[in-house]
Amino acid sequence: MLTIWIIWNNRNQSLHNLSYKTPNALIREVGRRNEDITQGQSSTKIEGLVAVIAWQIPPEGIYKLNVDAAFSSVFKEASLGMVVRNHLGQVHHCAIKRIGNMENALHAEFKAILFGLEECRHNSFNSVIIENDSLMAIMEIEESMYEWEGIISDIF
């Protein structure tokens, strides 16, 4: 799954941003990210600072839904991805989807969250913790939770 995601991301960078990594660079990235996952953490650079972000397991009996989106402002489309893991970190379900008519990156992040929730419902993952890397999307949802409660109840 990791290798497919890295190749997919490289394809999107090539298509939407006209930049890409060589096959050797992709192989090195797969190795580095695999090592990060094996150790249970990844490094993220933020304006010269390095923050260590560790994936936290959900409680037993609850699944963790991780979602993300890649947005192309040129084509006004997005690629959405989701993965569901259990309390042992084992992948139970993953999916990707490409959609058009996107207004902006934030819109794409919202669509990724909805896509992930719909996949959870369809595959009977009823107790989930949602994780997303878009701070803006998370803040927007928290500020208007009453609107999201209706959307979530419509899905489930």
Side-chain angles (χ1 to χ4, degrees), residues 6-48:
I6 289 173
I7 292 169
W8 171 60
N9 188 47
N10 190 57
R11 175 238 175 240
N12 286 342
Q13 289 297 321
S14 173
L15 182 65
H16 304 299
N17 299 329
L18 303 177
S19 68
Y20 64 92
K21 295 179 182 174
T22 65
N24 286 337
L26 292 175
I27 291 168
R28 286 191 300 274
E29 183 175 355
V30 168
R32 188 183 81 250
R33 289 189 183 242
N34 190 43
E35 187 175 317
D36 286 347
I37 291 169
T38 302
Q39 294 174 358
Q41 62 186 22
S42 63
S43 299
T44 304
K45 243 183 181 183
I46 305 170
E47 298 177 357

Side-chain angles (χ1 to χ4, degrees), residues 57-105:
I57 62 170
E60 191 168 349
I62 297 177
Y63 294 91
K64 185 167 276 191
L65 165 65
N66 292 86
V67 297
D68 202 3
F71 170 69
S72 168
S73 59
V74 174
F75 297 103
K76 299 291 187 194
E77 63 185 22
S79 296
L80 314 177
M82 60 81 63
V83 62
V84 175
R85 296 184 197 158
N86 67 6
H87 67 283
L88 300 174
Q90 298 167 326
V91 174
H92 280 254
H93 183 71
C94 59
I96 58 173
K97 180 179 182 179
R98 188 174 182 176
I99 57 174
N101 300 319
M102 290 289 97
E103 297 172 22
N104 53 46

Side-chain angles (χ1 to χ4, degrees), residues 71-154:
F71 170 69
S72 168
S73 59
V74 174
F75 297 103
K76 299 291 187 194
E77 63 185 22
S79 296
L80 314 177
M82 60 81 63
V83 62
V84 175
R85 296 184 197 158
N86 67 6
H87 67 283
L88 300 174
Q90 298 167 326
V91 174
H92 280 254
H93 183 71
C94 59
I96 58 173
K97 180 179 182 179
R98 188 174 182 176
I99 57 174
N101 300 319
M102 290 289 97
E103 297 172 22
N104 53 46
L106 183 59
H107 185 206
E109 292 291 346
F110 289 142
K111 286 291 190 177
I113 293 167
L114 290 174
F115 170 59
L117 288 171
E118 289 167 349
E119 286 289 312
C120 284
R121 178 190 48 87
H122 180 71
N123 290 283
S124 300
F125 298 111
N126 296 320
S127 296
V128 297
I129 296 171
I130 305 167
E131 214 170 71
N132 177 272
D133 65 354
S134 172
L135 182 59
M136 288 178 62
I138 293 166
M139 289 172 55
E140 183 71 27
I141 290 169
E142 287 176 349
E143 288 176 11
S144 58
M145 193 59 202
Y146 66 93
E147 293 174 21
W148 279 88
E149 286 175 356
I151 293 169
I152 292 168
S153 66
D154 286 348

